[in-house]
Amino acid sequence: MDIPAKIYITCASAELKKQPGTLIAVSPHGFYEVHVQFGSNTHVMLLPVSETSMLYAEPVLMHPPGFELER
């Protein structure tokens, strides 16, 4: 996933459930920096990694049959 990334955020302590936002950074200090739209304003939120789940907004593209990815 590239940063910045369009995501959906779920974080019970911030009362967010599938809230659209943008992942800006992942801090080594244990939090995500995200931008979230509330009304007409964009706000910066710092969310704890341990309490937050994120869903990447772009779907995974399916590979055509017979396509092999070398790892």
Side-chain angles (χ1 to χ4, degrees):
M1 179 185 321
D2 295 327
I3 295 178
K6 297 292 181 189
I7 55 170
Y8 294 101
I9 308 157
T10 300
C11 181
S13 61
E15 298 182 5
L16 299 175
K17 186 172 183 178
K18 297 182 183 175
Q19 174 75 35
T22 304
L23 176 63
I24 301 301
V26 180
S27 168
H29 302 291
F31 62 86
Y32 297 115
E33 178 184 346
V34 296
H35 289 180
V36 180
Q37 189 86 22
F38 291 109
S40 62
N41 299 315
T42 300
H43 297 271
V44 175
M45 295 186 77
L46 302 177
L47 301 172
V49 169
S50 61
E51 299 175 26
T52 306
S53 65
M54 296 184 190
L55 174 66
Y56 190 49
E58 296 295 321
V60 176
L61 300 176
M62 300 306 292
H63 301 290
F67 178 82
E68 292 185 27
L69 183 64
E70 185 176 327
R71 295 182 185 237

